[in-house]
């Protein structure tokens, strides 16, 4: 089965702690993305990566970091510098070349800071 | 500055009738538009898309209309079914390759 997996589904963190959210895809997609969704808002782009070992900041990158060491994996670290980290985090992937490629989303991780 | 706007936070429709969800955009560089459907605590799923070279695209019960001069698109669902109840997001791309810009979403409730 091809798809995107995110783990864990629910995550709790104490203030001041870093936490890493996992995202894996077996769709052979070049590009991967991290979004955050808050109540009543659309999806906002945190980081994206078009190719292995390269990534770009999105609209709300402050307080987050990523790595792209493998094509299949794009983990997101929420650092203690992120002022309001409680949110629903979504990972997506797509082809990059050729344009007009829809993004496929994982099931999401709900992060709650206690 | 919201480049993609969904001005109706919610919409309620009777089962069997038409649902019309609207989306406006401001960036004339956008040339590809998508609709996603999302259930609570799940990731969005792709529904239908349209390129700026077209003004209509159909897929079963779903039709998307694009009015480039008005920078407006709409999603029509006919007939609406209770299982269509979800949040619908409009998204656009073009200026930044495959990067998508999302609207805030519209909650659709289909009453049986």
């Amino acid at each position: 089965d091809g798809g995107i997996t995110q783990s864990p589904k629910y995550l709790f963190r104490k203030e001041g702690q870093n936490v890493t959210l996992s995202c894996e895809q077996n769709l052979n997609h070049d590009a991967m993305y991290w979004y955050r969704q808050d109540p009543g808002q659309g999806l906002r782009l945190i980081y994206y990566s078009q190719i292995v070992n390269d990534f770009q900041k999105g609209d709300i990158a402050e307080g987050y970091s990523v790595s792209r060491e493998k094509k299949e994996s794009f983990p997101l670290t929420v650092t203690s510098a992120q002022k309001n980290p409680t949110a629903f985090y979504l990972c997506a992937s797509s082809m990059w070349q050729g344009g007009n490629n829809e993004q496929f989303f994982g099931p999401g991780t709900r992060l709650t800071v206690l | 500055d919201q480049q993609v706007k969904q001005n109706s936070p919610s919409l309620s429709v009777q089962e069997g009738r038409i649902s019309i969800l609207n989306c406006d955009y401001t960036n004339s560089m956008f040339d590809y538009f998508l609709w996603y459907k999302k259930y609570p605590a799940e990731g969005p799923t792709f529904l239908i898309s349209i390129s700026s070279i077209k003004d209509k695209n159909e897929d079963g019960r779903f039709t998307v209309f694009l009015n480039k001069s008005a920078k407006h698109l709409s999603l029509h669902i006919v007939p609406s079914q209770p299982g269509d109840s979800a949040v619908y997001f409009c998204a656009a791309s073009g200026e930044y390759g495959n990067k998508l810009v999302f609207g805030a979403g519209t909650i659709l409730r289909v009453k049986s």
Side-chain angles (χ1 to χ4, degrees):
Chain A
D1 261 297
I4 303 176
T5 56
Q6 291 185 243
S7 60
K9 181 75 172 169
Y10 299 96
L11 191 54
F12 297 89
R13 184 196 95 176
K14 291 183 181 178
E15 267 193 65
Q17 288 181 338
N18 291 357
V19 63
T20 297
L21 282 60
S22 165
C23 178
E24 305 276 332
Q25 55 100 359
N26 60 4
L27 299 167
N28 200 32
H29 284 163
D30 306 305
M32 297 186 75
Y33 313 80
W34 274 105
Y35 294 90
R36 128 177 213 155
Q37 186 191 11
D38 294 283
Q41 295 195 39
L43 281 63
R44 293 184 291 166
L45 183 65
I46 304 172
Y47 268 98
Y48 67 102
S49 167
Q50 302 169 36
I51 195 168
V52 174
N53 292 323
D54 186 52
F55 47 83
Q56 309 294 329
K57 290 183 180 179
D59 302 316
I60 54 165
E62 186 176 347
Y64 300 98
S65 66
V66 293
S67 63
R68 186 86 187 275
E69 296 175 4
K70 297 186 299 182
K71 187 175 184 178
E72 302 79 22
S73 178
F74 191 40
L76 173 75
T77 297
V78 184
T79 75
S80 56
Q82 168 50 232
K83 292 188 171 76
N84 187 18
T86 293
F88 190 52
Y89 290 88
L90 287 157
C91 178
S93 70
S94 75
M95 297 302 292
W96 185 261
Q97 299 301 323
N100 292 351
N101 295 304
E102 62 263 26
Q103 294 181 16
F104 294 84
F105 285 83
T109 292
R110 167 74 60 187
L111 173 64
T112 303
V113 174
L114 304 171
Chain B
D1 176 32
Q2 273 192 299
Q3 299 186 70
V4 178
K5 299 179 186 177
Q6 293 177 255
N7 291 319
S8 298
S10 65
L11 175 68
S12 188
V13 170
Q14 198 66 36
E15 181 180 5
R17 305 294 291 268
I18 185 171
S19 296
I20 300 176
L21 296 102
N22 294 303
C23 179
D24 297 294
Y25 61 96
T26 57
N27 191 334
S28 56
M29 297 295 290
F30 289 146
D31 61 5
Y32 188 59
F33 304 89
L34 308 89
W35 284 94
Y36 283 85
K37 175 181 177 180
K38 184 182 181 302
Y39 294 116
E42 293 184 12
T45 54
F46 169 74
L47 260 183
I48 192 168
S49 63
I50 188 166
S51 165
S52 60
I53 61 173
K54 294 185 174 182
D55 54 18
K56 178 182 173 181
N57 188 26
E58 281 182 85
D59 184 0
R61 295 187 298 115
F62 302 92
T63 303
V64 56
F65 295 92
L66 175 62
N67 182 333
K68 288 188 291 294
S69 60
K71 293 192 176 68
H72 176 84
L73 63 153
S74 60
L75 174 68
H76 293 210
I77 306 173
V78 183
S80 301
Q81 300 172 355
D84 295 330
S85 297
V87 180
Y88 289 78
F89 289 101
C90 169
S93 71
E95 186 178 13
Y96 311 109
N98 262 356
K99 281 177 57 181
L100 294 180
V101 179
F102 283 84
T106 296
I107 301 170
L108 174 65
R109 295 187 185 89
V110 180
K111 299 176 288 188
S112 54

